[in-house]
Amino acid sequence: MQLFTRSRQLPDHAGSGADPDDGPAGTTDHPPAPVGTPESRGGTPDGPEPARPDPWRRRHPRAARGVTVGTTVLAGALLLGALLVPNRVERLSPEAFLRIPAEGILLATLLLALPPRPRRIAAAVSGVLLGLVTVLKIVDMGFHQVLARPFDLVLDWILLDDAAEFVRESFGRGGQVLAVIGVIVLFAALLVLMTLAAVRITDLMVRHRRTAARTTVVLGVVWITCVTLGVRITGVPLATRGTAQMLGNRVEQVRAGLEDARVFERQAAVDAFADTPPDRLFTGLRGKDVLFTFVESYGRVAIDDPAMAEPVDAVLKEGAASLEAAGFESRSGWLRSPVTGAGSWLAHSTFLSGLWIKNQQRYRSLTTSDRMTLTNYFRKTGDWRTVGIVPGVRRAWPEGRYFGLDHIYDSEHLGYRGPYFSWTPVPDQFTMEAFERLEHGRKDRQPIMAEIILASSHNPWSPNARMIDWDDLGDGSVFHGIKKEGTDPAEVWQDPERVRTEYRKSIEYSLRSLTGWMERYGDEDTVLVFLGDHQPVPTVTAGDTGKDVPITIVAGDEKVLDRVADWNWTDGLKPAPDAPRWGMDEFRDRFMTAYGPQGGEGGGG
């Protein structure tokens, strides 16, 4: 009898004392174990004999018990947090963690029902999977903050490299290294800790099987009741299966991503201008210099948001008046971008190709195809020299050949000797002046079609450049002093309102750079088409999920604007709220129709 009594005592490290729901103190639901079995030696049927308590535990039993209980509580909180944490920052709230997750109930039921060996394997696998799900949710938070959408498990892996490069350009190599190390450590820690937590809680449930089973049943009944009655806490449903829904959406996302390649291939095969003879392309623009200019992150929010509308409106009105005084007219409308927050190259290729380039897979398919873009078609005529002014490009850009550009000027070939402004290698005013010096201002040249990508309004918008006298630009060294006057991005990004203010200032600078160049160097044979590529990040849009961007055509020859009269765009540089709104992929064909033989005066609809 004495031997039996000793064999039923639980070791100190078991993680729990006697449970009144489990029978008499110091006992479990299992019958007495025969002498000689693992149980009779203080072990359990699910594993080898536990290790003897270490000396510290014998000397400090209360502290040891506190550590054991605390560790168990933390393990449970970690697992519960993994199931309940949302994948969007704005949904993080105390109420989000006061819910009953269906996934937790089902997982507990499965673990209690399995035999010992499969249960141990299932617990470890469940921990790893919960760790991976938590990592995915954290990545989703970042993507929602920048791109206003979740991470795509099929198509977005390349963007992680771009994110690391952005950190390097904004905060230096040291900041990039620390960020990458931090991400790797967090990833590994989550996997390890989640696995250990799952194993620990599983062991606890097995030792108190009856209590665990009854608790699981009660929670299941409560969950079903809450769903049936629609019980909520401050608007948040008490019963949730959010993690399962998220994973289900990801499965559908993967399926759609794989199918999308086939859909895009069919769409890319259709081109209304593929068989048009070169001499019948752009007949309404012969002899003109045509500039397609993208203003980074110039979205509708810059015009519509009450906090930005007044100062941006003043810049647009000032620019329109100056251009009109110089003999130019302008018309403006709206385009809907395929992206928001980032992904400029997807918007650029959508605009130029006439196809909806919404992800990296489509971009790769496009740039390895023979699909003709606006730039390709200008080059096909033989009547324009096609050039690219891309100050944001700082390394090899093999896709540049696809766009049919005779020459590409990247950040290293614009003659700039000034400082970077965070991510921005070359200020917009200098970019436009370099275009004048390198191409537009040359004597005895043929007409130019230029793709110009302005970068000063690129995230993080701090520090900002400012306008100076065009004659003082020189090699850009003057911007060293201007950068010192600017703000520190690390400080600005601690306050969303300061971020919005700096964003607005960057848009004003980009617009002044463009209109200033047109006023100074444009003539009757200059046609400027400028547009935003996408809306800025959600920090700036303040929750607005719209993807509209402004687009404007400026010309000194009234016949150029007559051809788009039936587009019903707004006079001036600012589109009216109810101005026509097209998908960005529609512009190519509308533009080519308006300025082709079939366009005619007043045509091109």
Side-chain angles (χ1 to χ4, degrees):
M1 181 65 182
Q2 188 177 14
L3 175 62
F4 168 70
T5 303
R6 285 198 300 269
S7 71
R8 301 307 296 161
Q9 292 175 348
L10 293 175
D12 289 342
H13 70 276
S16 175
D19 191 315
D21 292 329
D22 288 338
T27 67
T28 70
D29 296 333
H30 302 295
V35 176
T37 63
E39 294 95 314
S40 71
R41 295 190 299 271
T44 70
D46 291 339
E49 179 180 354
R52 294 181 179 276
D54 59 40
W56 182 85
R57 287 179 176 273
R58 289 199 299 269
R59 290 196 303 271
H60 308 282
R62 290 191 177 184
R65 181 172 179 76
V67 171
T68 299
V69 172
T71 304
T72 302
V73 170
L74 288 176
L78 186 63
L79 295 178
L80 191 61
L83 291 170
L84 292 177
V85 67
N87 66 341
R88 300 181 65 163
V89 172
E90 63 270 21
R91 293 178 181 171
L92 286 172
S93 66
E95 294 82 5
F97 296 93
L98 298 176
R99 298 180 294 165
I100 304 173
E103 304 86 356
I105 297 171
L106 293 174
L107 181 59
T109 302
L110 173 65
L111 292 173
L112 287 171
L114 287 174
R117 187 178 298 276
R119 178 167 56 239
R120 287 193 294 271
I121 297 173
V125 171
S126 298
V128 172
L129 291 178
L130 281 174
L132 292 173
V133 168
T134 306
V135 170
L136 179 59
K137 288 182 177 181
I138 293 173
V139 174
D140 273 356
M141 289 182 193
F143 269 68
H144 276 293
Q145 287 297 101
V146 176
L147 300 175
R149 64 170 178 81
F151 178 73
D152 191 311
L153 290 168
V154 176
L155 307 170
D156 282 343
W157 294 101
I158 190 173
L159 298 183
L160 300 181
D161 179 62
D162 292 330
E165 184 66 16
F166 171 75
V167 172
R168 186 184 71 82
E169 298 296 346
S170 299
F171 304 102
R173 175 66 69 180
Q176 180 192 38
V177 171
L178 289 176
V180 171
I181 292 175
V183 168
I184 294 173
V185 170
L186 176 62
F187 178 83
L190 278 172
L191 293 184
V192 172
L193 292 176
M194 208 68 72
T195 302
L196 294 175
V199 171
R200 187 178 189 88
I201 296 301
T202 300
D203 288 345
L204 180 65
M205 289 193 303
V206 170
R207 288 196 303 272
H208 305 283
R209 182 184 296 274
R210 181 182 297 176
T211 299
R214 286 197 298 224
T215 302
T216 301
V217 171
V218 170
L219 287 175
V221 172
V222 172
W223 189 93
I224 294 173
T225 303
C226 289
V227 169
T228 304
L229 300 179
V231 179
R232 292 174 174 267
I233 300 178
T234 63
V236 179
L238 182 60
T240 179
R241 52 188 179 94
T243 298
Q245 289 176 328
M246 185 195 80
L247 294 177
N249 291 339
R250 290 315 166 83
V251 172
E252 176 59 25
Q253 182 189 66
V254 170
R255 187 203 63 77
L258 297 175
E259 173 64 22
D260 185 63
R262 292 185 286 272
V263 173
F264 181 71
E265 184 178 359
R266 293 194 296 270
Q267 294 172 345
V270 180
D271 187 344
F273 296 92
D275 298 325
T276 304
D279 62 353
R280 295 183 63 79
L281 294 168
F282 306 115
T283 54
L285 293 171
R286 299 289 168 147
K288 307 291 186 186
D289 294 317
V290 184
L291 284 57
F292 295 107
T293 306
F294 296 93
V295 180
E296 171 68 36
S297 300
Y298 178 32
R300 186 163 189 158
V301 65
I303 292 176
D304 286 355
D305 189 284
M308 308 182 204
E310 187 174 345
V312 172
D313 184 57
V315 171
L316 292 172
K317 286 182 177 178
E318 175 190 328
S322 298
L323 289 173
E324 186 176 359
F328 298 101
E329 295 184 23
S330 53
R331 304 284 186 275
S332 298
W334 301 104
L335 297 180
R336 186 179 73 259
S337 176
V339 293
T340 185
S344 301
W345 61 96
L346 304 181
H348 303 166
S349 53
T350 294
F351 179 83
L352 296 173
S353 71
L355 295 171
W356 195 248
I357 312 300
K358 62 181 180 179
N359 55 50
Q360 193 66 19
Q361 177 175 270
R362 288 191 168 207
Y363 180 76
R364 287 176 172 174
S365 298
L366 174 71
T367 54
T368 55
S369 72
D370 57 3
R371 171 79 179 191
M372 295 287 283
T373 64
L374 270 177
T375 47
N376 291 122
Y377 275 122
F378 271 98
R379 187 182 189 186
K380 181 179 178 180
T381 66
D383 294 324
W384 278 272
R385 171 174 166 80
T386 58
V387 300
I389 309 295
V390 288
V393 174
R394 284 152 290 188
R395 52 186 177 182
W397 186 42
E399 300 97 325
R401 299 194 189 101
Y402 162 76
F403 291 100
L405 300 171
D406 294 318
H407 193 83
I408 297 175
Y409 296 91
D410 59 22
S411 62
E412 300 298 319
H413 296 88
L414 293 175
Y416 182 66
R417 297 295 178 267
Y420 278 27
F421 284 76
S422 289
W423 185 90
T424 306
V426 184
D428 291 349
Q429 186 183 11
F430 189 94
T431 296
M432 296 306 301
E433 179 67 22
F435 169 64
E436 178 65 25
R437 168 171 39 86
L438 296 169
E439 289 288 344
H440 188 264
R442 292 168 55 183
K443 304 296 183 182
D444 302 323
R445 59 170 177 80
Q446 68 181 126
I448 297 171
M449 188 244 72
E451 177 189 357
I452 303 174
I453 302 176
L454 300 181
S456 286
S457 49
H458 193 289
N459 184 335
W461 309 299
S462 173
N464 275 316
R466 60 174 173 80
M467 294 294 293
I468 60 176
D469 191 294
W470 291 82
D471 293 327
D472 294 338
L473 286 170
D475 65 357
S477 298
V478 65
F479 285 101
H480 282 286
I482 295 174
K483 180 179 180 179
K484 291 179 181 178
E485 300 170 1
T487 54
D488 182 347
E491 295 179 359
V492 167
W493 278 83
Q494 295 176 16
D495 181 359
E497 287 307 311
R498 289 192 66 186
V499 174
R500 287 159 55 80
T501 298
E502 295 304 308
Y503 163 78
R504 171 183 58 79
K505 290 179 179 179
S506 72
I507 293 296
E508 293 173 10
Y509 172 72
S510 296
L511 293 173
R512 286 193 172 104
S513 298
L514 257 183
T515 56
W517 180 91
M518 190 70 172
E519 181 184 357
R520 182 179 176 89
Y521 295 116
D523 56 32
E524 189 179 46
D525 290 328
T526 306
V527 178
L528 170 64
V529 180
F530 72 90
L531 66 150
D533 48 15
H534 55 70
Q535 287 260 63
V537 297
T539 302
V540 177
T541 60
D544 182 1
T545 58
K547 295 184 177 182
D548 290 356
V549 297
I551 180 169
T552 299
I553 297 180
V554 183
D557 184 349
E558 63 180 16
K559 294 180 181 179
V560 171
L561 295 179
D562 286 344
R563 284 192 170 241
V564 296
D566 66 350
W567 286 5
N568 297 317
W569 283 14
T570 308
D571 290 345
L573 304 182
K574 176 185 176 181
D578 60 349
R581 174 177 174 265
W582 308 334
M584 194 174 279
D585 57 330
E586 298 177 52
F587 182 83
R588 190 202 74 159
D589 286 9
R590 288 179 179 267
F591 185 85
M592 293 183 69
T593 299
Y595 292 105
Q598 63 273 51
E601 297 226 352

